[in-house]
Amino acid sequence: MSNPLNTITVDGVTYNSEAYANTQTKTSKDRELDKDAFIKLLVTQLQYQDPLEPQDNNEFIAEMAQFSSLEQITNMTDALKEINTMVGNIDTSVLVGQLSSMIGKGVDWSEEVQSADEEGNPVASTQDYSGVITGVTVADGVTRVIVTAADGSNHYVNISNISNVYELTEATAQENAVETTSEI
């Protein structure tokens, strides 16, 4: 069952976690020398060896040991990838849960704004904003809060840009409502 916590959006396409993992596995296996390729090479080597000078048993045992090591390393790598994915999903789920508890609270944040001076040279400045957190989103692995500003516009704010989160008082809520209605 898909829900926002187990989906990922890449280049505008939303996958559930299992479908995305399948596309990643197929892509990476096409580029790797895996254990099946190793066996094919070993069988080919045995087929075309010189019957008058067969492969030494020690060499054959060494190659089989290499194959066994390759298989164990491959299995361990796959298990570590699964653990890494699970930990990443848990981290994202915990973060989304924590941020969801902030919905309905006031927030102040800053963003860098690019402008130009009189000569047309780029100038960076920091702009401060305020609003109310109305949601949480995760897109392309980045978690952001959705904030509705006093003018009614929605902003997708990076967590690192937030400077203050606070409870809205009746006075603050009325102030935001007055600002919104006075600009309409």
Side-chain angles (χ1 to χ4, degrees):
M1 179 176 160
S2 290
N3 65 50
L5 298 179
N6 69 357
T7 60
I8 185 167
T9 303
V10 178
D11 298 329
V13 178
T14 301
Y15 300 92
N16 69 25
S17 58
E18 183 178 331
Y20 182 74
N22 288 339
T23 63
Q24 295 304 301
T25 304
K26 290 176 186 172
T27 303
S28 63
K29 283 191 176 181
D30 291 342
R31 291 182 256 142
E32 294 178 2
L33 181 62
D34 62 2
K35 57 187 175 185
D36 293 333
F38 186 87
I39 287 289
K40 287 178 186 176
L41 285 171
L42 184 61
V43 169
T44 303
Q45 180 184 4
L46 290 173
Q47 279 180 329
Y48 293 103
Q49 70 179 333
D50 184 358
L52 299 176
E53 293 181 26
Q55 183 178 11
D56 183 27
N57 285 342
N58 291 334
E59 288 178 35
F60 183 72
I61 290 171
E63 286 183 15
M64 290 306 292
Q66 286 177 338
F67 171 72
S68 177
S69 295
L70 172 67
E71 186 173 24
Q72 289 174 2
I73 289 171
T74 301
N75 292 341
M76 188 170 30
T77 301
D78 291 343
L80 287 173
K81 285 178 184 176
E82 288 177 20
I83 290 170
N84 187 36
T85 300
M86 287 188 318
V87 168
N89 289 342
I90 290 169
D91 287 347
T92 300
S93 296
V94 168
L95 180 60
V96 168
Q98 290 173 342
L99 293 173
S100 294
S101 70
M102 296 185 335
I103 292 175
K105 294 186 180 186
V107 65
D108 298 327
W109 78 96
S110 301
E111 289 184 15
E112 190 173 293
V113 178
Q114 297 290 330
S115 59
D117 62 12
E118 295 96 30
E119 298 172 4
N121 297 320
V123 177
S125 62
T126 303
Q127 179 72 38
D128 294 327
Y129 298 94
S130 293
V132 178
I133 298 174
T134 56
V136 178
T137 182
V138 179
D140 295 328
V142 178
T143 305
R144 294 183 176 95
V145 292
I146 303 169
V147 179
T148 302
D151 65 358
S153 62
N154 284 330
H155 300 266
Y156 294 87
V157 180
N158 288 331
I159 299 163
S160 59
N161 293 350
I162 295 174
S163 58
N164 189 22
V165 177
Y166 49 91
E167 291 290 336
L168 291 175
T169 62
E170 265 187 58
T172 311
Q174 288 175 355
E175 184 180 301
N176 284 339
V178 169
E179 288 178 17
T180 304
T181 55
S182 64
E183 294 181 15
I184 295 179

